[in-house]
Amino acid sequence: MSNHNYNYSRRRFLGHSGLGLLALSGMPGVLRAMEGMSAMAKLAPIQASANFKPDVEFELYCKPADIGILQGNKTRVMQYTARLLQGPRHTLTELPGSYLGPLMRLYKGQKVRIHLLNGLSEPTIAHWHGLHVPAVADGHPVYAINTGEKMVYEFEVLNRAGMNMYHPHSHETTGKQVYHGLAGAILVNDDEEAALELPSGGHEIPIVIQDRMFDNQNQLLYVHHMHDRMMGFHGDRILVNGTVDFNVDVESRAYRLRVLNGSNARIYKLAWDNGMPLTVLGVDGGLLERPVTKNYVMLAPGERLDVWADFSGIAVGVKVTLRSLPFTGAWPRMGMRMHGGKLPLGGDYPIFTASVTRKVSDSPKMPAQLSSFKRYTVEETANPEKPVPIGISEGPMSMLLNGRPYAYNDALPFEKIPVDTVRLMEIFHAHGGGHGDAEEAKETQPEQHGGGMGHGMMGGGMKREGGGMGHGMMGGGMKHEGGGGGMMGGMGGMGMMMSMAHPIHLHGQQFQIISRSIDSVESEDYATVRDGFIDSGLKDTVLVMPGERVRIIKPFEHFKGLFMYHCHNLEHEDMGMMREFEII
């Protein structure tokens, strides 16, 4: 490892019938056979460097715990706890009564050392989602530590002010470990943000949204059917900051809400129930240049929002509820029905309530100008005519990016990127439809030769040569040469019936979104979400709807090594929808 330092009628029929999910329900044994196929290398844990002089140092423990979440029995969880060894006292803040890890508050320019200690009965590793850190400190699964081992992270905080998160990135068990409690939020502050005098202290409130499912003994339930993996696991209760029925008492003034979607797979369409607009100050990569006001905002797993919530015109005793509003198009229709119940996908349900309990006379004014940051043009990228492809394809036994399942140190030529360059990239659904005729897909996708079980499943538009079990399964629009199954290979649109929204997360530096385009036949569904995207800020996670393609510009500065990119639907990640950029 380098660096230390078809046609429309067919689409509609297949998409609405959900035949794919019904077919999958008969193949659990095959799915299990696909899981765990790719062995992960194991590198020795990094230890403290004598030359690194930290400003902040703390121990972070992963261990089992019993926490009271519902009335009655306590719930067995995995939990982060921490002990500050050096640095400001406010560096770590516990969330009372929560299974979530402590809120970390860091400052731009600080040098940070974190000792991760594994008290679990299985390997784990921590990833600092959103932070721009060296490859060895990024939480790559190759560094997963066993029970009783320790991993030391050392890095300087290079990020501008913003909300980030930390969670495991263990090979094929990320979803399970996050679901059972291993997650927490990181707030980075800087001088530019401080000068704005935004609401702080008790007027700045973290809002970590997660969905969970419990049995009748209050124990967490996770992935009990195969379609829970294909769709991503969705719970039937909303928890905020690790608690149910979350309510916060507020004064009649402005607050700053730091919102994080910590769910494994659930996508939210956030809006206030009293009709007041949602005012956004920042997104994943920190403050926007100016506030943006929306009727609703989409929030996918791994994304964050910095929200200005002004309760100054609301009378004492009134409750205001943040809800998730109805939307469609993010999942196959059959999948939506299979995930019905108290919290149907794309349904209408409450997230949390703010109760105005005290009248005050003073409230801060929202700044008209918030921040400034570097914006790149396409002409400034190293590849303006040939964007780096990130092709999404879904299959019954694996989830793929660029036609390949995850494998360690397996970078394709276009995934090898020189350090200190800026790249144009395009994220799209590779199995066809919309913009994706086969010829275009063949140009943007890597050409595959040889084979192995599962490669190219639903990977439409890719030329494939050679034999092997399952080559080209459901591979609509794919040219197939040589032996192998080719099951349903001529159906063209079979991959699209599985098409769903994917939150794509890229490690390393944050990026800017420069364009979105959508297949016109999807406009009816897309209209229910399109006004909720905020693309004017810096991002590290972007929701890509079915039939949509998104162009981004991403810098690759400072650090060489392997940096992952993947779907932040964590079940999809664990099924193989993850790749690596090798920065050289």
Side-chain angles (χ1 to χ4, degrees), residues 272-293:
W272 296 110
D273 71 337
N274 66 347
M276 75 177 182
L278 201 66
T279 301
V280 177
L281 304 178
V283 290
D284 305 353
L287 293 169
L288 304 174
E289 293 169 309
R290 289 167 294 278
V292 171
T293 299

Side-chain angles (χ1 to χ4, degrees), residues 213-225:
M213 185 180 294
F214 300 84
D215 67 15
N216 58 12
Q217 298 298 312
N218 293 348
Q219 301 309 304
L220 289 166
L221 295 172
Y222 180 64
V223 182
H224 46 285
H225 298 295

